[in-house]
Amino acid sequence: MLTDSQRAIVKSTVPLLETGGEALTTHFYRIMLGEYPQVRPLFNQAHQASGDQPRALANSVLMYAKHIDRLEALGDLPAQIINKHVSLQVLPEHYPIVGACLLRAIREVLGADIATDEVIAAWGVAYQQLADILIGAEEQAYRANAELPGGWRGARAFRVARKVAESSEITSFYLRPVDGQAVIAHQPGQYIGLRLNLDGQEQRRNYSLSAAPNGQELRISVKREADGLVSRHLHDQVREGDTLEIFPPAGAFTLVPSDKPLVLISGGVGITPTLAMLSEALQSGRTVHFIHCARNRAVHAFRDAIDALAARHPQLQRFYCYDQAGEGADAVGLLDQARLAQWLPATRDVDAYFLGPKPFMALVRRSLLALGVPESQTRCEFFGPAAALN
């Protein structure tokens, strides 16, 4: 258990983390991924190369140090971490590796004069406190997933029943369990973990579930990224009838029951979790404003499906914004506050969910707040590692 003096020591390192946290976490990943190959599948190498993963970890470590004496102030951050860990199957045996590499990185980056034995000891206890919290919460999630009807623990074999092109970039994969048993009723907005072996290297990725639960199959809709090792493999190599290993659904970006008007705002492949949310909301008779942004019609996935829903459900209004001029858009150019004001319901007492690239989400968040939507009624999810929206 952390002592008062150890808490004070951890908090005293906050200025160092604010100025040099990313250098520290970059060195941490270099040590861990270089010396412990067993944890490499848990980390997306593209996020490493872009700096997103070290940046996100630096933010998390900083927030933990700032609030070491009042962990409830961390808000949604622990839940984001727990869900990401559960989707990738982070296990208790991984935590000592992470802890040893983090303490070593602190010592090597800050130097022995600053990272004294006392500082390292305090951070060691602080890390173990966090590890114990996460391990306990993750075990509860693993157990809950296994006990639900149609649930399971660890990897489960699913066969690709259908593979459907939704746009020039996005393809859907309909996945049915090889064992023929039922499939867990995921919450709209959740994602699954996928495990593959490519060229002798294990890879794990997360993909949003893009259809409402039906007890028989899961659907993911994957954008083919030019530098995406796994997405290119799924698009180019995986065929109908092939088998994939799937981890149970996870994620806290889920539709909260409410009778308020629902606003779903997505950019690009961010449309995927909003599709399951839309299906559930329409079944309840809820008013929905569905706003989607894409570069052009060729890359706009699920347009026909959304249009068909709008034709059947008068409470659904849909708006499309394309970056590039072309047919089929309600507006051309980037989404902005003025356009969003036109497309929101007359009342600002709405529940707004938004997802897309980080700059897109930052703009949407600022616009919603400026237009009077209560911050507590806005929710978003991140592509890749969690980080703060500025």
Side-chain angles (χ1 to χ4, degrees):
M1 180 177 293
L2 272 170
T3 65
D4 290 342
S5 62
Q6 287 172 328
R7 287 192 185 88
I9 289 172
V10 170
K11 293 197 77 170
S12 74
T13 62
V14 166
L16 297 172
L17 295 173
E18 287 178 325
T19 58
E22 195 172 330
L24 189 154
T25 55
T26 298
H27 187 57
F28 155 78
Y29 279 119
R30 187 179 300 121
I31 295 169
M32 185 175 65
L33 299 180
E35 300 181 12
Y36 297 92
Q38 63 268 44
V39 301
R40 287 177 196 157
L42 302 174
F43 300 92
N44 187 321
Q45 296 306 304
H47 294 156
Q48 289 290 321
S50 69
D52 287 347
Q53 213 147 36
R55 201 169 299 120
L57 179 61
N59 177 68
S60 299
V61 171
L62 171 62
M63 295 303 293
Y64 180 56
K66 277 186 173 181
H67 301 295
I68 193 69
D69 51 358
R70 199 165 60 89
L71 296 182
E72 64 274 13
L74 291 171
D76 294 336
L77 181 59
Q80 292 174 0
I81 294 171
I82 290 163
N83 277 285
K84 191 68 70 173
H85 285 187
V86 169
S87 72
L88 295 172
Q89 299 290 289
V90 172
L91 300 175
E93 56 262 34
H94 296 132
Y95 281 90
I97 296 173
V98 174
C101 293
L102 180 61
L103 296 180
R104 179 177 156 189
I106 291 173
R107 174 64 66 89
E108 293 179 357
V109 171
L110 299 184
D113 290 342
I114 296 175
T116 63
D117 290 345
E118 191 177 30
V119 168
I120 295 298
W123 262 103
V125 177
Y127 172 79
Q128 193 58 53
Q129 171 184 270
L130 179 60
D132 290 342
I133 292 170
L134 297 179
I135 289 170
E138 287 156 17
E139 173 57 29
Q140 289 181 7
Y142 292 138
R143 189 181 303 120
N145 274 334
E147 293 174 353
L148 286 171
W152 71 96
R153 182 170 186 148
R156 185 178 178 186
F158 280 71
R159 183 170 290 109
V160 179
R162 282 190 293 153
K163 182 178 176 182
V164 179
E166 307 290 0
S167 76
S168 63
E169 296 180 332
I170 296 174
T171 293
S172 288
F173 298 80
Y174 291 77
L175 308 171
R176 290 191 168 237
V178 172
D179 61 22
Q181 301 300 306
V183 178
I184 192 171
H186 63 273
Q187 299 178 59
Q190 287 191 309
Y191 48 85
I192 52 91
L194 169 66
R195 180 167 69 188
L196 293 168
N197 192 296
L198 303 181
D199 298 325
Q201 298 293 321
E202 183 182 332
Q203 306 287 341
R204 301 188 189 190
R205 294 292 188 273
N206 298 133
Y207 292 107
S208 294
L209 291 160
S210 61
N214 62 16
Q216 297 179 330
E217 65 184 8
L218 302 173
R219 186 180 75 178
I220 58 173
S221 302
V222 181
K223 179 184 176 184
R224 189 187 193 281
E225 302 285 357
D227 59 350
L229 178 66
V230 173
S231 69
R232 284 188 288 112
H233 175 80
L234 291 172
H235 274 250
D236 301 342
Q237 305 299 326
V238 172
R239 300 286 181 262
E240 293 181 355
D242 288 352
T243 300
L244 300 173
E245 289 189 301
I246 305 296
F247 300 133
F253 180 65
T254 55
L255 190 62
V256 177
S258 170
D259 58 2
K260 299 180 188 298
L262 175 64
V263 179
L264 298 172
I265 308 171
S266 56
V269 75
I271 194 173
T272 52
T274 67
L275 298 170
M277 293 179 176
L278 176 61
S279 294
E280 180 167 296
L282 292 178
Q283 289 175 16
S284 69
R286 197 171 174 184
T287 297
V288 183
H289 284 223
F290 189 95
I291 301 168
H292 182 63
C293 302
R295 294 197 313 278
N296 52 55
R297 184 159 186 166
V299 299
H300 182 176
F302 300 103
R303 173 170 179 140
D304 291 345
I306 299 300
D307 288 347
L309 287 173
R312 297 199 306 270
H313 298 275
Q315 79 271 29
L316 168 60
Q317 295 190 45
R318 93 293 178 274
F319 305 92
Y320 304 140
C321 183
Y322 292 166
D323 296 0
Q324 303 163 358
E327 295 182 358
D330 297 292
V332 175
L334 298 178
L335 183 67
D336 57 23
Q337 183 176 319
R339 194 163 286 133
L340 195 55
Q342 297 173 357
W343 292 345
L344 287 178
T347 177
R348 296 303 187 248
D349 186 21
V350 302
D351 292 326
Y353 295 71
F354 53 99
L355 184 64
K358 186 178 177 182
F360 171 85
M361 292 197 293
L363 181 147
V364 169
R365 181 178 182 276
R366 289 195 304 269
S367 299
L368 289 172
L369 297 182
L371 292 170
V373 177
E375 184 172 10
S376 62
Q377 293 168 212
T378 66
R379 304 189 70 192
C380 63
E381 178 67 288
F382 290 90
F383 288 119
L389 270 187
N390 298 318

